Amino acid sequence: MPRRRTPSSTGSSSANPPGPRNRTPQPVRVRRRTFGDVVKAFLALVALVGLLVGVPFALASQVGWPLPSEAPSLAWLEQEITVGTFLDILAFVVWLAWAQFTACVLVEVKAALSGVGVPGRVPGAGPSQLLARQLVAALLLVGATAASFTPGLSQLGQSLEGNRSGTVAAAQQTPGLFAQQQEQAAHTAAALAEQASNVAAQADDGSAAERGDTKYYRIQPPEGRHHDSLWEVAERHLGDGRRYKEIFELNKDRVQPDGSRLSEASLIRPGWIMEMPGDAVGGELVELPDEAPDVSPDVQQQINEYAGTGDRAQGGGQQGGGQQDAGSSHVSVPEQPPAADRPATHQERPEQHAAAPAAESGRSFGLPEALLGAPLLAAGLLGALGHRRRQALWQSAIGAVGGRRGMEPPTPTGDALDVQDALLVGADPEGVRLLDLSLRGLAASLAAESRPLPTVYAAWLSNGDLHLQLAQPAGKPPAPWQLGQDQTFWLLARSDAERYEDVDTAAPYPGLVSLGTMDDSRLLLNLEAVPGIVSLSGREADRAAVFASVAAELATNGWSDRMTITLVGFGEDLTPLAPNRLRHLDGIDDLIEAMEAETRQRRGALGAAGHDSVLTGRTGPAQHTRWAPHLVLLATEPSADEAVRLAELAADAGRLGIGYLVGTDSAELPGAAWEMEITAAGKLVAPLLGLELDAQSLPPAQQRAVVELFVDADPERGPDGSGTAPPFLVDVSEQGRPAVYARLVGSYEIIGLETPDGERSALLHEALALLLLHREGVHPRVLASALWPRGVTDDVREALLERLRDWLGADPDGSSRLRTDATGRLMLAKSVVSDLDVLRSLYHEATQGKGVDNRAVRGRLLTDALVLVRGPLLADRPEDRYRWLTHEIIDAQLPLLVADIGLALSAFHLEKDRAEKAIEALDASLRTAPADERLWHELLRATHSTGDTARLRALAADLLDRSGARGLPPRTEALLDELLPAWRDGVAAAG
């Protein structure tokens, strides 16, 4: 939310009782100083005079200036080192210490007199600056300016570490999940300033309580996009926004005039009364028991009543459901059930978060943690990668790319292999599916009730449940949704989400993107709904990792339809992830020019359609227009003028479906509605929003590896000659009989092993199937994630591997058939073979081996291969197992391989005019690959070669019936026109 630059609020609130607000400055009492304060100030003055004046006077009179009075010559280096030389060096060090202390005193005096809450740091002057602060504070204790500055004198001489630890402990004990603060780069100075403010406030509070003088502040109504916050109240009236915790503690759980209670520091409402620390200053405060003539009787009565609900010791009370004011731009965490009541979720998988053993060497367990902890990003990347690989297979099969006929994508190595494994382990495709079904189901339900989509600022995924945080209350949600902790939260339980079915409606909130986690909750910010620019500050490298994560998830997520993502200042290499979504611009000038034109176009289109926002266009009769979002990710900091122009464009962006995320080196960006910072420790903090998350990021090494996976799978890449051979070839001669043979193509059968006893048999079979489909090796964590999607501990995984080794046994040479390679990945011995391995090897030998020059061998190999095809892969697998197959592309590889075998065998027979044999081979292939257009074309040609027109016409009718409402593909129609010109009339007559 934007920082308020004015010292006071303006406006009115119709939601509060009538009566003017107190806008006349009221006199603020200054605590009277005691004789002890005067004595302390006098002693501090003496100490300062002694240190600032006495030390240099003594040095000048007793030692003199230690440096030579003239430029030293070479002979000076040859002089003898005497006691005087050491004294001069010591004197010079003392002079430097005095100069440093003097600078500290000047900095602290300036900060105290100017009212700055956090004085600047003097480099290398930790203890010196602490001493200077203590002395200056004691000296100014008799003045009014020290009230928000003075630390307790009892702390004099304590170490910096002690002060720091106290502050950190206090921050950790702050009630409420969002009452946390970002750790500043100048942490020590900030901690000292905060401690000083707390001590001074406590001293003044005690004095005020003795006299009965208490100050109160009334939360102001919103002005435009600005909403009052405790941070800004503390910043205006206490000199330091970080002191908002003091206000929170004074008012927590006390009954407000509207009957609600303050339960979280980020949830306040206009009209609430806040008791303030005794050192609060400013014209908006009301001080009791003094009369405040400019405060209405109603407001004065509210304050008097509120004053009786608590005391300085924080009277107890039941926690209420404090509610955010309408239109607020705060982001709050949903309330959590007790940990013992929460079901296990993907994010809580023990195996996923198990730390790598310190003793492990190599890369055996060194998977990228950034992707392991980003289940939605990993699922999106994995799904997009699988789609890209399937697309490459199909284009390869139809010869669209220069004769490239590789049935296997390139096997990744190095970092790309680690990243692929991390995607397999970390991905939560079920979570993505449920999120998409939930959001579209909500949109469909609202459209059925003729209700508009509410503006959603954020979504929280918490222990399987989905919480939508609305910009303002929108009434009761449609079933099975229910109200959450207050009117601005809509909640959908995971059990209800699982009952949703696919609906034909536009994605309502495609701009949601993961930013990070807090405890067990994952935050997705709706970038297109933010009322202005979202700024991201921090180190450039840290910002770049966050920008890359946001861009990658937006480009590949599963809960959006069409989208445009413009990258400026980074990400040119990310475009292979989604060329249809991602576009890269070179500079900010190009961006502003493009966005000015699009902003005008969108405003005009909304006006012409009669919609007030893109949300209206995404539901009801107009949903076909989709109103796709346009999200701008600008990593380069704009100039002041450019920032102003961007702010003007973003002022109406939320209504138009445009979002801006802008990087900045400084803490503030002109026009920023929400300000975030990424710290060196990986925390994403936004104090004004009350956020402190473990940031989701995509570091450069993982970014390059992800892009490598997509580039290698690009269907537009030319042939490289290396992908035509399968990764594992077996001996297809009579001498090549394996020790263990598994049938996967069709029903699952194993020959050569005894069936395991007990309930673990199914688990062992599934583990073996996974290893057989990945002859290149399987990471142990990938295996565990596949077998136990909800998580497993290391000891259970290791126990399974030990049982698997025992079951598979050993080869005659004594080596285990389950082995581990140099990277720690699990591999099967060559004596363990599947029918899929044989199928690939037979086809390879027939088309690229002995069968190339020997026609008889080629026919025998192709016939043997086709006989192995008994149905789809693992045809009888249980529904609750083998879900990892959704990540695989074997479901696309196997039909293409069978189709290639059928086509090759058909061509073999047609060379000798054996049309019936060719038709038989094609029919056998179509049972496994019924959607392969190439098989139907060859079947039409083979049938035509028989000269049986009636048979050809019947085949055309069968093809038309199979195609359904979509009709025949254009190339099939063209072929039928060539082979059977009157096929349309014949089909119509048959129909």
Side-chain angles (χ1 to χ4, degrees):
M1 62 181 286
R3 296 183 188 273
R4 180 159 64 175
R5 308 295 178 196
T6 57
S8 61
S9 301
T10 61
S12 59
S13 174
S14 59
N16 295 320
R21 291 165 43 198
N22 177 29
R23 306 195 54 81
T24 304
Q26 301 296 319
V28 178
R29 295 182 182 274
V30 178
R31 182 173 70 90
R32 297 176 180 177
R33 308 307 179 189
T34 65
F35 178 77
D37 294 335
V38 177
V39 172
K40 292 175 184 177
F42 176 78
L43 294 177
L45 176 61
V46 172
L48 283 173
V49 171
L51 291 172
L52 296 179
V53 180
V55 171
F57 179 81
L59 287 173
S61 61
Q62 300 299 323
V63 181
W65 183 247
L67 298 180
S69 58
E70 57 185 12
S73 62
L74 186 61
W76 180 75
L77 298 175
E78 301 174 354
Q79 294 180 1
E80 181 181 0
I81 298 177
T82 65
V83 175
T85 305
F86 283 109
L87 291 176
D88 288 341
I89 294 174
L90 181 60
F92 180 72
V93 172
V94 176
W95 274 109
L96 286 180
W98 171 84
Q100 186 187 58
F101 179 78
T102 303
C104 292
V105 171
L106 293 176
V107 168
E108 297 298 328
V109 170
K110 178 180 180 297
L113 295 178
S114 62
V116 175
V118 182
R121 293 186 62 187
V122 177
S128 296
Q129 190 163 3
L130 175 60
L131 177 61
R133 179 174 295 134
Q134 300 284 357
L135 294 175
V136 172
L139 179 62
L140 298 180
L141 193 62
V142 296
T145 59
S148 64
F149 167 81
T150 310
L153 293 180
S154 62
Q155 304 296 321
L156 186 61
Q158 288 190 1
S159 67
L160 290 173
E161 187 63 30
N163 287 315
R164 182 187 301 123
S165 63
T167 305
V168 172
Q172 292 173 345
Q173 295 169 2
T174 303
L177 287 174
F178 275 87
Q180 303 178 29
Q181 303 176 7
Q182 73 184 76
E183 181 177 356
Q184 302 293 338
H187 184 78
T188 303
L192 290 172
E194 186 175 1
Q195 185 189 43
S197 300
N198 290 342
V199 174
Q202 291 170 4
D204 281 350
D205 288 348
S207 177
E210 292 176 0
R211 298 189 316 271
D213 298 343
T214 309
K215 300 170 187 176
Y216 293 90
Y217 174 82
R218 191 162 181 259
I219 301 300
Q220 306 300 319
E223 294 180 20
R225 287 196 178 93
H226 171 76
H227 301 268
D228 218 348
S229 69
L230 293 187
W231 177 284
E232 296 193 15
V233 173
E235 195 172 56
R236 291 196 306 272
H237 300 295
L238 300 176
D240 187 353
R242 286 185 297 271
R243 293 185 63 187
Y244 78 92
K245 292 185 298 183
E246 300 174 39
I247 306 175
F248 175 77
E249 291 296 338
L250 286 173
N251 298 276
K252 179 186 177 185
D253 295 334
R254 294 171 64 177
V255 178
Q256 293 291 336
D258 61 0
S260 56
R261 302 171 188 263
L262 175 65
S263 59
E264 291 187 17
S266 60
L267 300 179
I268 61 175
R269 300 181 63 184
W272 280 8
I273 308 298
M274 294 289 120
E275 183 177 343
M276 300 291 289
D279 63 326
V281 294
E284 296 174 336
L285 300 178
V286 175
E287 187 170 357
L288 297 178
D290 289 356
E291 295 182 359
D294 292 323
V295 175
S296 68
D298 290 338
V299 173
Q300 190 168 5
Q301 181 180 356
Q302 290 178 4
I303 295 176
N304 288 326
E305 292 175 353
Y306 183 76
T309 63
D311 52 33
R312 308 298 289 193
Q314 298 185 33
Q318 291 183 339
Q319 184 171 346
Q323 180 176 314
Q324 200 173 326
D325 55 296
S328 172
S329 57
H330 285 282
V331 175
S332 307
V333 74
E335 293 178 350
Q336 303 294 321
D341 299 335
R342 295 199 304 261
T345 65
H346 179 90
Q347 286 79 7
E348 294 175 339
R349 299 191 309 186
E351 208 288 324
Q352 175 180 322
H353 294 294
E360 291 288 344
S361 60
R363 300 198 325 269
S364 62
F365 287 87
L367 299 182
E369 293 296 329
L371 291 171
L372 293 178
L376 303 185
L377 170 61
L381 289 171
L382 196 61
L385 181 61
H387 176 76
R388 182 70 56 84
R389 286 174 171 171
R390 288 182 175 85
Q391 189 179 18
L393 285 174
W394 279 104
Q395 293 198 18
S396 169
I398 63 177
V401 183
R404 179 186 177 191
R405 298 300 297 260
M407 297 307 300
E408 300 286 339
T411 301
T413 59
D415 290 342
L417 180 57
D418 286 341
V419 161
Q420 178 175 274
D421 286 340
L423 293 178
L424 290 168
V425 175
D428 183 14
E430 180 66 10
V432 171
R433 186 183 73 87
L434 291 179
L435 176 61
D436 184 47
L437 289 176
S438 302
L439 296 177
R440 293 181 193 268
L442 173 63
S445 298
L446 290 171
E449 298 177 7
S450 299
R451 295 173 59 186
L453 285 168
T455 300
V456 169
Y457 279 147
W460 289 92
L461 289 174
S462 180
N463 304 304
D465 299 337
L466 174 60
H467 305 253
L468 294 184
Q469 184 167 356
L470 314 184
Q472 56 188 8
K476 183 179 179 180
W481 291 78
Q482 54 188 304
L483 287 175
Q485 64 197 50
D486 58 47
Q487 294 289 327
T488 61
F489 275 95
W490 284 5
L491 166 64
L492 180 68
R494 182 185 179 95
S495 57
D496 293 326
E498 291 172 343
R499 292 196 289 268
Y500 265 122
E501 297 180 355
D502 291 326
V503 293
D504 183 19
T505 189
Y509 304 112
L512 287 169
V513 63
S514 303
L515 291 185
T517 59
M518 173 177 289
D519 298 328
D520 296 326
S521 299
R522 179 171 301 277
L523 170 65
L524 288 84
L525 185 67
N526 191 5
L527 280 179
E528 67 167 338
V530 176
I533 293 174
V534 179
S535 69
L536 178 64
S537 61
R539 297 188 311 181
E540 183 176 2
D542 298 327
R543 297 201 316 263
V546 174
F547 271 103
S549 171
V550 170
E553 185 169 299
L554 288 173
T556 61
N557 73 59
W559 54 86
S560 63
D561 300 317
R562 296 183 299 109
M563 181 188 301
T564 300
I565 308 161
T566 298
L567 313 179
V568 184
F570 82 108
E572 186 173 6
D573 56 338
L574 290 175
T575 52
L577 301 184
N580 295 329
R581 284 192 180 185
L582 292 171
R583 71 169 182 175
H584 178 267
L585 294 181
D586 293 329
I588 300 179
D589 290 339
D590 295 336
L591 171 68
I592 292 177
E593 181 180 357
M595 296 314 299
E596 285 178 342
E598 180 161 353
T599 299
R600 288 193 301 270
Q601 186 273 332
R602 290 203 173 210
R603 283 175 179 158
L606 281 177
H611 301 318
D612 57 350
S613 75
V614 295
L615 292 180
T616 308
R618 288 180 188 158
T619 56
Q623 65 172 300
H624 64 277
T625 60
R626 301 294 180 178
W627 296 102
H630 186 165
L631 304 177
V632 176
L633 308 181
L634 173 59
T636 303
E637 182 174 21
S639 66
D641 292 341
E642 291 167 341
V644 171
R645 295 180 67 184
L646 285 173
E648 292 174 352
L649 291 172
D652 198 25
R655 186 177 70 89
L656 304 177
I658 302 175
Y660 294 86
L661 177 62
V662 181
T664 174
D665 295 326
S666 59
E668 297 182 1
L669 181 73
W674 291 355
E675 297 171 346
M676 300 185 298
E677 179 187 2
I678 176 67
T679 69
K683 295 288 186 180
L684 191 68
V685 295
L688 295 183
L689 297 176
L691 290 175
E692 182 174 349
L693 308 169
D694 292 322
Q696 178 174 299
S697 63
L698 188 61
Q702 282 85 66
Q703 180 181 335
R704 289 190 296 268
V706 166
V707 172
E708 180 182 338
L709 291 174
F710 277 79
V711 171
D712 287 343
D714 188 353
E716 300 300 327
R717 295 188 69 193
D720 53 16
S722 62
T724 57
F728 178 70
L729 291 172
V730 300
D731 185 357
V732 295
S733 66
E734 290 294 331
Q735 293 75 28
R737 292 185 179 276
V740 178
Y741 182 68
R743 292 179 175 177
L744 304 179
V745 184
S747 58
Y748 191 2
E749 300 175 12
I750 298 178
I751 302 172
L753 293 176
E754 296 292 335
T755 301
D757 296 330
E759 298 179 354
R760 297 191 180 98
S761 175
L763 202 62
L764 291 172
H765 278 74
E766 186 175 0
L768 179 57
L770 177 61
L771 291 168
L772 285 168
L773 293 177
H774 290 277
R775 303 304 305 230
E776 73 279 6
V778 177
H779 196 291
R781 295 184 72 176
V782 174
L783 179 66
S785 177
L787 299 181
W788 294 281
R790 295 178 65 85
V792 68
T793 55
D794 291 344
D795 57 338
V796 175
R797 180 190 64 205
E798 293 302 323
L800 170 76
L801 294 180
E802 192 61 34
R803 282 190 292 270
L804 186 59
R805 285 190 182 93
D806 293 341
W807 181 43
L808 293 176
D811 285 334
D813 61 0
S815 60
S816 174
R817 291 173 180 150
L818 179 61
R819 303 169 182 176
T820 303
D821 67 5
T823 65
R825 288 173 169 80
L826 302 168
M827 299 185 67
L828 292 173
K830 292 185 178 180
S831 59
V832 183
V833 173
S834 74
D835 56 354
L836 187 59
D837 297 327
V838 177
L839 190 67
R840 288 166 169 162
S841 299
L842 287 170
Y843 177 68
H844 177 75
E845 190 69 19
T847 57
Q848 301 182 48
K850 297 178 181 179
V852 174
D853 300 322
N854 191 320
R855 187 177 186 281
V857 171
R858 182 169 72 254
R860 176 176 56 81
L861 293 172
L862 291 173
T863 302
D864 289 346
L866 201 56
V867 169
L868 290 177
V869 180
R870 300 176 298 119
L873 186 76
L874 298 168
D876 56 353
R877 63 181 182 267
E879 292 184 0
D880 58 338
R881 290 194 176 274
Y882 298 89
R883 293 187 178 181
W884 47 269
L885 281 172
T886 58
H887 300 315
E888 307 286 339
I889 62 170
I890 185 63
D891 60 333
Q893 288 175 300
L894 180 58
L896 288 175
L897 177 58
V898 173
D900 277 357
I901 294 172
L903 291 170
L905 188 56
S906 171
F908 171 82
H909 289 304
L910 288 176
E911 288 176 0
K912 296 296 185 179
D913 295 326
R914 296 196 290 261
E916 292 298 334
K917 288 288 186 182
I919 292 172
E920 183 181 343
L922 293 168
D923 283 337
S925 299
L926 280 168
R927 286 193 289 271
T928 300
D932 197 310
E933 189 179 1
R934 300 172 301 158
L935 291 175
W936 289 105
H937 290 175
E938 291 306 311
L939 185 59
L940 287 170
R941 293 187 181 99
T943 304
H944 178 264
S945 68
T946 64
D948 190 340
T949 304
R951 187 176 180 182
L952 182 60
R953 186 176 293 108
L955 179 59
D958 185 29
L959 271 175
L960 191 63
D961 183 64
R962 288 173 179 267
S963 62
R966 295 176 300 174
L968 293 175
R971 287 183 294 185
T972 303
E973 283 193 357
L975 180 60
L976 277 174
D977 288 338
E978 175 65 24
L979 301 178
L980 188 65
W983 69 274
R984 289 181 173 84
D985 297 335
V987 169

